[in-house]
Amino acid sequence: MRLWELATGKPAGVLKGHEGSALDVAFSSDGKQLASAGYDRTVRLWDVATLATVAVLPGDEGYRVAYSADGRLIASCSHNRHVRLWDARTYDELAILPHGNRVHGLAFSPDGTRLATACGDNTIRLWNIASRQEVCELRGHEAYVHAVAFSPDGTRLASASGDFTVRIWDTVPPSVRARPPDAPVPPRD
Amino acid sequence: MRLWELATGKPAGVLKGHEGSALDVAFSSDGKQLASAGYDRTVRLWDVATLATVAVLPGDEGYRVAYSADGRLIASCSHNRHVRLWDARTYDELAILPHGNRVHGLAFSPDGTRLATACGDNTIRLWNIASRQEVCELRGHEAYVHAVAFSPDGTRLASASGDFTVRIWDTVPPSVRARPPDAPVPPRD
């Protein structure tokens, strides 16, 4: 990782770490920490001011990484059927959230209570952050789900899919499940 | 596009439009409008309340779509070397921003004055939204740039690249350019 000063056009510092392509980056809400997800199966955390490596979080081949709005949680999705959840301060791995197929996208709800994941098995999973349990599985798409996004107030979730449709889901109340959360979902690709 | 009510598990509405895979979705900051980017070379805008199609914006094979923080601008990047910028209210195409290669990611600065784009020619381009001109081209990565993110205060930009590095760029002041903005950049893949 390098800090380049545009005022001079020269790098002010070089930090290295990933041993594979870096695919995504995200700043914490206070701007002090940066997370990067790599093909080297790590998520790395960096101190933006000192450029020091803060933590190397072993995981999966990183594809997307995101902080919760309060900056306390980090989630990463990969093509290895796992979504991992870490504490951004203690660097503890809080959960490995299983999926039936590769996970293309993820989004924290604005209030930080939910994580939505876009899965290659045509589903969207909604996870309860506190309990680390699946709240519900949103079924309906007829092809992979590539991206998800919460509305700013968190009451809606939008999903984009290979079935040519975009869907909007009402996330309040998230009390009714399309199927039991413990029922397995067969891979579809 | 379908609206599903989780409280009942049934769709409350079905909207269709895209004639190819939908790859990304984004809500406007007020939550009233949704943008989706598709392989059918359109960005579609939807009214979240009525589920009506608001506009069909002809463009490129959509890959990522984003609103500016104030919700007035929409940008989309694609693998067709173009980034397009639209007015989210009038639906006018404001600019087609040329790139030397496919564009993997994009991010508006928090204040809405800049757009950063992550390009397959190893560069990051920083665009002035008001003038629709390239402010500078950030060079240094030795492989494609896959993602970019602004810090919450907009003073830093982070980039993730296939060269195994993550770089942080100082975006204030964005007055010094690595090279003249009108010099061509040869494609590299």
Side-chain angles (χ1 to χ4, degrees):
Chain A
M1 187 167 79
R2 295 185 184 182
L3 169 66
W4 293 77
E5 291 183 358
L6 271 183
T8 64
K10 295 178 183 177
V14 179
L15 278 85
K16 300 178 181 177
H18 280 298
E19 298 174 355
S21 293
L23 291 179
D24 201 16
V25 281
F27 280 96
S28 61
S29 52
D30 63 5
K32 295 181 179 176
Q33 198 179 83
L34 180 75
S36 58
Y39 261 141
D40 61 356
R41 304 176 72 91
T42 66
V43 167
R44 287 169 189 261
L45 305 185
W46 316 85
D47 183 296
V48 174
T50 67
L51 305 179
T53 300
V54 173
V56 179
L57 308 175
D60 304 293
E61 290 173 2
Y63 187 63
R64 297 280 168 208
V65 64
Y67 279 90
S68 60
D70 64 4
R72 301 188 64 166
L73 298 168
I74 298 167
S76 177
C77 69
S78 80
H79 286 174
N80 298 109
R81 303 182 180 215
H82 296 129
V83 169
R84 290 178 191 245
L85 191 67
W86 292 277
D87 185 304
R89 297 178 183 178
T90 66
Y91 321 129
D92 290 331
E93 183 180 85
L94 302 177
I96 299 177
L97 309 176
H99 290 73
N101 205 312
R102 58 178 57 187
V103 182
H104 296 286
L106 80 176
F108 278 102
S109 65
D111 66 1
T113 65
R114 296 285 185 271
L115 180 71
T117 53
C119 193
D121 67 2
N122 308 357
T123 68
I124 299 144
R125 317 285 178 102
L126 202 58
W127 302 88
N128 180 319
I129 293 297
S131 69
R132 296 147 204 175
Q133 298 297 309
E134 189 178 300
V135 175
C136 57
E137 189 174 292
L138 307 177
R139 308 188 84 164
H141 278 302
E142 297 172 358
Y144 68 92
V145 184
H146 196 258
V148 285
F150 277 98
S151 63
D153 66 1
T155 62
R156 305 281 181 117
L157 181 73
S159 54
S161 168
D163 68 4
F164 298 10
T165 72
V166 173
R167 298 182 192 215
I168 298 183
W169 313 78
D170 187 350
T171 62
V172 178
S175 55
V176 176
R177 304 174 184 195
R179 63 168 198 92
D182 52 348
V185 177
R188 298 184 190 182
D189 75 1
Chain B
M1 188 169 79
R2 294 184 185 184
L3 170 66
W4 294 77
E5 290 183 358
L6 271 184
T8 62
K10 296 178 182 177
V14 179
L15 279 85
K16 300 177 181 177
H18 279 299
E19 297 173 357
S21 293
L23 291 179
D24 200 17
V25 280
F27 280 96
S28 61
S29 52
D30 63 6
K32 294 180 178 176
Q33 198 179 83
L34 180 75
S36 58
Y39 261 140
D40 61 355
R41 304 177 73 92
T42 66
V43 166
R44 285 167 192 261
L45 305 185
W46 316 85
D47 183 297
V48 173
T50 66
L51 305 178
T53 300
V54 173
V56 179
L57 309 176
D60 305 293
E61 290 172 1
Y63 186 63
R64 298 280 167 206
V65 64
Y67 279 91
S68 59
D70 64 4
R72 301 188 65 167
L73 298 169
I74 298 167
S76 177
C77 68
S78 81
H79 286 175
N80 298 110
R81 304 182 179 214
H82 296 129
V83 169
R84 288 177 193 247
L85 191 67
W86 292 278
D87 186 304
R89 299 179 182 176
T90 66
Y91 321 130
D92 290 331
E93 184 179 84
L94 302 178
I96 299 177
L97 309 177
H99 289 72
N101 205 312
R102 58 178 57 188
V103 182
H104 296 285
L106 80 174
F108 278 102
S109 64
D111 66 2
T113 64
R114 296 286 184 271
L115 179 72
T117 52
C119 192
D121 66 2
N122 309 356
T123 69
I124 300 144
R125 316 285 178 104
L126 202 58
W127 301 88
N128 180 315
I129 293 297
S131 69
R132 296 147 204 175
Q133 297 298 310
E134 189 178 302
V135 175
C136 57
E137 189 175 293
L138 307 177
R139 309 188 84 166
H141 278 302
E142 297 172 357
Y144 68 92
V145 185
H146 195 256
V148 285
F150 276 98
S151 62
D153 66 1
T155 63
R156 305 281 181 118
L157 180 73
S159 55
S161 167
D163 67 4
F164 299 10
T165 72
V166 174
R167 299 182 189 214
I168 299 184
W169 313 79
D170 186 350
T171 62
V172 178
S175 54
V176 176
R177 303 172 184 191
R179 63 168 199 91
D182 52 347
V185 177
R188 298 184 191 181
D189 75 1

PDB file of all heavy atoms in Angstrom, chain B residues 24-27 35 64-68 73-77 85 106-108 115:
ATOM      1  N   ASP B  24     -26.097  -4.124 -10.779  1.00  0.00           N
ATOM      2  CA  ASP B  24     -25.891  -3.284  -9.603  1.00  0.00           C
ATOM      3  C   ASP B  24     -27.137  -2.450  -9.354  1.00  0.00           C
ATOM      4  O   ASP B  24     -27.908  -2.171 -10.284  1.00  0.00           O
ATOM      5  CB  ASP B  24     -24.670  -2.362  -9.805  1.00  0.00           C
ATOM      6  CG  ASP B  24     -24.111  -1.835  -8.499  1.00  0.00           C
ATOM      7  OD1 ASP B  24     -24.434  -2.396  -7.432  1.00  0.00           O
ATOM      8  OD2 ASP B  24     -23.338  -0.859  -8.530  1.00  0.00           O
ATOM      9  N   VAL B  25     -27.314  -2.088  -8.103  1.00  0.00           N
ATOM     10  CA  VAL B  25     -28.431  -1.245  -7.693  1.00  0.00           C
ATOM     11  C   VAL B  25     -27.932  -0.210  -6.698  1.00  0.00           C
ATOM     12  O   VAL B  25     -26.993  -0.453  -5.949  1.00  0.00           O
ATOM     13  CB  VAL B  25     -29.565  -2.056  -7.017  1.00  0.00           C
ATOM     14  CG1 VAL B  25     -30.425  -2.747  -8.051  1.00  0.00           C
ATOM     15  CG2 VAL B  25     -29.010  -3.047  -6.000  1.00  0.00           C
ATOM     16  N   ALA B  26     -28.592   0.940  -6.703  1.00  0.00           N
ATOM     17  CA  ALA B  26     -28.244   1.989  -5.740  1.00  0.00           C
ATOM     18  C   ALA B  26     -29.482   2.822  -5.458  1.00  0.00           C
ATOM     19  O   ALA B  26     -30.259   3.129  -6.376  1.00  0.00           O
ATOM     20  CB  ALA B  26     -27.130   2.878  -6.296  1.00  0.00           C
ATOM     21  N   PHE B  27     -29.670   3.159  -4.189  1.00  0.00           N
ATOM     22  CA  PHE B  27     -30.745   4.058  -3.804  1.00  0.00           C
ATOM     23  C   PHE B  27     -30.235   5.489  -3.801  1.00  0.00           C
ATOM     24  O   PHE B  27     -29.070   5.752  -3.445  1.00  0.00           O
ATOM     25  CB  PHE B  27     -31.232   3.734  -2.387  1.00  0.00           C
ATOM     26  CG  PHE B  27     -32.167   2.571  -2.284  1.00  0.00           C
ATOM     27  CD1 PHE B  27     -31.697   1.312  -1.953  1.00  0.00           C
ATOM     28  CD2 PHE B  27     -33.527   2.736  -2.511  1.00  0.00           C
ATOM     29  CE1 PHE B  27     -32.558   0.225  -1.838  1.00  0.00           C
ATOM     30  CE2 PHE B  27     -34.394   1.656  -2.402  1.00  0.00           C
ATOM     31  CZ  PHE B  27     -33.911   0.396  -2.064  1.00  0.00           C
ATOM     32  N   ALA B  35     -31.720   3.211  -8.770  1.00  0.00           N
ATOM     33  CA  ALA B  35     -31.074   3.076 -10.078  1.00  0.00           C
ATOM     34  C   ALA B  35     -30.537   1.663 -10.213  1.00  0.00           C
ATOM     35  O   ALA B  35     -30.041   1.079  -9.246  1.00  0.00           O
ATOM     36  CB  ALA B  35     -29.928   4.076 -10.218  1.00  0.00           C
ATOM     37  N   ARG B  64     -21.348  -0.934 -12.562  1.00  0.00           N
ATOM     38  CA  ARG B  64     -21.602  -0.317 -11.270  1.00  0.00           C
ATOM     39  C   ARG B  64     -22.375   0.963 -11.498  1.00  0.00           C
ATOM     40  O   ARG B  64     -22.174   1.647 -12.512  1.00  0.00           O
ATOM     41  CB  ARG B  64     -20.294   0.019 -10.542  1.00  0.00           C
ATOM     42  CG  ARG B  64     -19.437  -1.169 -10.211  1.00  0.00           C
ATOM     43  CD  ARG B  64     -19.914  -1.903  -8.965  1.00  0.00           C
ATOM     44  NE  ARG B  64     -19.259  -3.185  -8.855  1.00  0.00           N
ATOM     45  CZ  ARG B  64     -19.769  -4.240  -8.213  1.00  0.00           C
ATOM     46  NH1 ARG B  64     -20.947  -4.176  -7.632  1.00  0.00           N
ATOM     47  NH2 ARG B  64     -19.111  -5.360  -8.152  1.00  0.00           N
ATOM     48  N   VAL B  65     -23.237   1.273 -10.551  1.00  0.00           N
ATOM     49  CA  VAL B  65     -23.979   2.522 -10.634  1.00  0.00           C
ATOM     50  C   VAL B  65     -23.966   3.164  -9.252  1.00  0.00           C
ATOM     51  O   VAL B  65     -23.986   2.463  -8.231  1.00  0.00           O
ATOM     52  CB  VAL B  65     -25.419   2.287 -11.148  1.00  0.00           C
ATOM     53  CG1 VAL B  65     -26.233   1.423 -10.185  1.00  0.00           C
ATOM     54  CG2 VAL B  65     -26.128   3.593 -11.426  1.00  0.00           C
ATOM     55  N   ALA B  66     -23.885   4.488  -9.222  1.00  0.00           N
ATOM     56  CA  ALA B  66     -23.815   5.196  -7.938  1.00  0.00           C
ATOM     57  C   ALA B  66     -24.506   6.542  -8.056  1.00  0.00           C
ATOM     58  O   ALA B  66     -24.506   7.167  -9.124  1.00  0.00           O
ATOM     59  CB  ALA B  66     -22.357   5.396  -7.520  1.00  0.00           C
ATOM     60  N   TYR B  67     -25.101   6.973  -6.958  1.00  0.00           N
ATOM     61  CA  TYR B  67     -25.634   8.324  -6.839  1.00  0.00           C
ATOM     62  C   TYR B  67     -24.608   9.192  -6.113  1.00  0.00           C
ATOM     63  O   TYR B  67     -23.908   8.700  -5.216  1.00  0.00           O
ATOM     64  CB  TYR B  67     -26.908   8.337  -5.999  1.00  0.00           C
ATOM     65  CG  TYR B  67     -28.165   7.938  -6.716  1.00  0.00           C
ATOM     66  CD1 TYR B  67     -28.584   6.610  -6.742  1.00  0.00           C
ATOM     67  CD2 TYR B  67     -28.957   8.888  -7.352  1.00  0.00           C
ATOM     68  CE1 TYR B  67     -29.762   6.242  -7.377  1.00  0.00           C
ATOM     69  CE2 TYR B  67     -30.137   8.528  -7.989  1.00  0.00           C
ATOM     70  CZ  TYR B  67     -30.527   7.200  -7.999  1.00  0.00           C
ATOM     71  OH  TYR B  67     -31.688   6.846  -8.628  1.00  0.00           O
ATOM     72  N   SER B  68     -24.590  10.463  -6.448  1.00  0.00           N
ATOM     73  CA  SER B  68     -23.849  11.403  -5.612  1.00  0.00           C
ATOM     74  C   SER B  68     -24.597  11.544  -4.287  1.00  0.00           C
ATOM     75  O   SER B  68     -25.776  11.196  -4.179  1.00  0.00           O
ATOM     76  CB  SER B  68     -23.736  12.759  -6.308  1.00  0.00           C
ATOM     77  OG  SER B  68     -25.018  13.290  -6.583  1.00  0.00           O
ATOM     78  N   LEU B  73     -26.980  13.383  -8.989  1.00  0.00           N
ATOM     79  CA  LEU B  73     -26.198  12.849 -10.103  1.00  0.00           C
ATOM     80  C   LEU B  73     -26.143  11.328 -10.019  1.00  0.00           C
ATOM     81  O   LEU B  73     -26.164  10.755  -8.934  1.00  0.00           O
ATOM     82  CB  LEU B  73     -24.767  13.398 -10.056  1.00  0.00           C
ATOM     83  CG  LEU B  73     -24.609  14.906 -10.187  1.00  0.00           C
ATOM     84  CD1 LEU B  73     -23.181  15.299  -9.851  1.00  0.00           C
ATOM     85  CD2 LEU B  73     -24.982  15.360 -11.592  1.00  0.00           C
ATOM     86  N   ILE B  74     -26.057  10.717 -11.169  1.00  0.00           N
ATOM     87  CA  ILE B  74     -25.889   9.275 -11.255  1.00  0.00           C
ATOM     88  C   ILE B  74     -24.701   9.016 -12.163  1.00  0.00           C
ATOM     89  O   ILE B  74     -24.582   9.636 -13.232  1.00  0.00           O
ATOM     90  CB  ILE B  74     -27.142   8.602 -11.855  1.00  0.00           C
ATOM     91  CG1 ILE B  74     -28.357   8.841 -10.969  1.00  0.00           C
ATOM     92  CG2 ILE B  74     -26.913   7.100 -12.045  1.00  0.00           C
ATOM     93  CD1 ILE B  74     -29.656   8.483 -11.657  1.00  0.00           C
ATOM     94  N   ALA B  75     -23.842   8.112 -11.734  1.00  0.00           N
ATOM     95  CA  ALA B  75     -22.721   7.702 -12.579  1.00  0.00           C
ATOM     96  C   ALA B  75     -22.750   6.195 -12.730  1.00  0.00           C
ATOM     97  O   ALA B  75     -23.147   5.465 -11.822  1.00  0.00           O
ATOM     98  CB  ALA B  75     -21.396   8.140 -11.976  1.00  0.00           C
ATOM     99  N   SER B  76     -22.338   5.737 -13.897  1.00  0.00           N
ATOM    100  CA  SER B  76     -22.271   4.304 -14.148  1.00  0.00           C
ATOM    101  C   SER B  76     -20.979   4.001 -14.880  1.00  0.00           C
ATOM    102  O   SER B  76     -20.557   4.754 -15.761  1.00  0.00           O
ATOM    103  CB  SER B  76     -23.466   3.857 -14.990  1.00  0.00           C
ATOM    104  OG  SER B  76     -23.362   2.480 -15.297  1.00  0.00           O
ATOM    105  N   CYS B  77     -20.352   2.914 -14.481  1.00  0.00           N
ATOM    106  CA  CYS B  77     -19.160   2.481 -15.196  1.00  0.00           C
ATOM    107  C   CYS B  77     -19.433   1.139 -15.839  1.00  0.00           C
ATOM    108  O   CYS B  77     -20.351   0.421 -15.458  1.00  0.00           O
ATOM    109  CB  CYS B  77     -17.952   2.396 -14.266  1.00  0.00           C
ATOM    110  SG  CYS B  77     -18.029   1.099 -13.028  1.00  0.00           S
ATOM    111  N   LEU B  85     -22.391  10.031 -16.940  1.00  0.00           N
ATOM    112  CA  LEU B  85     -22.876  10.861 -15.848  1.00  0.00           C
ATOM    113  C   LEU B  85     -24.222  11.446 -16.269  1.00  0.00           C
ATOM    114  O   LEU B  85     -24.338  12.019 -17.354  1.00  0.00           O
ATOM    115  CB  LEU B  85     -21.853  11.984 -15.591  1.00  0.00           C
ATOM    116  CG  LEU B  85     -21.995  12.838 -14.354  1.00  0.00           C
ATOM    117  CD1 LEU B  85     -21.736  12.017 -13.089  1.00  0.00           C
ATOM    118  CD2 LEU B  85     -21.007  14.004 -14.430  1.00  0.00           C
ATOM    119  N   LEU B 106     -16.163   2.798  -9.313  1.00  0.00           N
ATOM    120  CA  LEU B 106     -16.250   4.250  -9.267  1.00  0.00           C
ATOM    121  C   LEU B 106     -16.763   4.694  -7.917  1.00  0.00           C
ATOM    122  O   LEU B 106     -17.385   3.921  -7.192  1.00  0.00           O
ATOM    123  CB  LEU B 106     -17.134   4.787 -10.399  1.00  0.00           C
ATOM    124  CG  LEU B 106     -18.643   4.761 -10.256  1.00  0.00           C
ATOM    125  CD1 LEU B 106     -19.298   5.464 -11.429  1.00  0.00           C
ATOM    126  CD2 LEU B 106     -19.177   3.354 -10.154  1.00  0.00           C
ATOM    127  N   ALA B 107     -16.471   5.940  -7.573  1.00  0.00           N
ATOM    128  CA  ALA B 107     -16.928   6.486  -6.298  1.00  0.00           C
ATOM    129  C   ALA B 107     -17.028   7.995  -6.411  1.00  0.00           C
ATOM    130  O   ALA B 107     -16.125   8.648  -6.941  1.00  0.00           O
ATOM    131  CB  ALA B 107     -15.947   6.126  -5.179  1.00  0.00           C
ATOM    132  N   PHE B 108     -18.144   8.535  -5.936  1.00  0.00           N
ATOM    133  CA  PHE B 108     -18.271   9.981  -5.808  1.00  0.00           C
ATOM    134  C   PHE B 108     -17.573  10.415  -4.525  1.00  0.00           C
ATOM    135  O   PHE B 108     -17.635   9.709  -3.503  1.00  0.00           O
ATOM    136  CB  PHE B 108     -19.744  10.393  -5.702  1.00  0.00           C
ATOM    137  CG  PHE B 108     -20.470  10.491  -7.004  1.00  0.00           C
ATOM    138  CD1 PHE B 108     -21.338   9.484  -7.410  1.00  0.00           C
ATOM    139  CD2 PHE B 108     -20.309  11.589  -7.830  1.00  0.00           C
ATOM    140  CE1 PHE B 108     -22.032   9.570  -8.606  1.00  0.00           C
ATOM    141  CE2 PHE B 108     -21.003  11.688  -9.028  1.00  0.00           C
ATOM    142  CZ  PHE B 108     -21.864  10.673  -9.423  1.00  0.00           C
ATOM    143  N   LEU B 115     -15.441  12.657  -9.023  1.00  0.00           N
ATOM    144  CA  LEU B 115     -15.756  11.259  -9.266  1.00  0.00           C
ATOM    145  C   LEU B 115     -14.431  10.550  -9.510  1.00  0.00           C
ATOM    146  O   LEU B 115     -13.622  11.012 -10.316  1.00  0.00           O
ATOM    147  CB  LEU B 115     -16.668  11.108 -10.490  1.00  0.00           C
ATOM    148  CG  LEU B 115     -17.052   9.680 -10.861  1.00  0.00           C
ATOM    149  CD1 LEU B 115     -18.045   9.100  -9.857  1.00  0.00           C
ATOM    150  CD2 LEU B 115     -17.668   9.644 -12.276  1.00  0.00           C
TER     151      LEU B 115
END
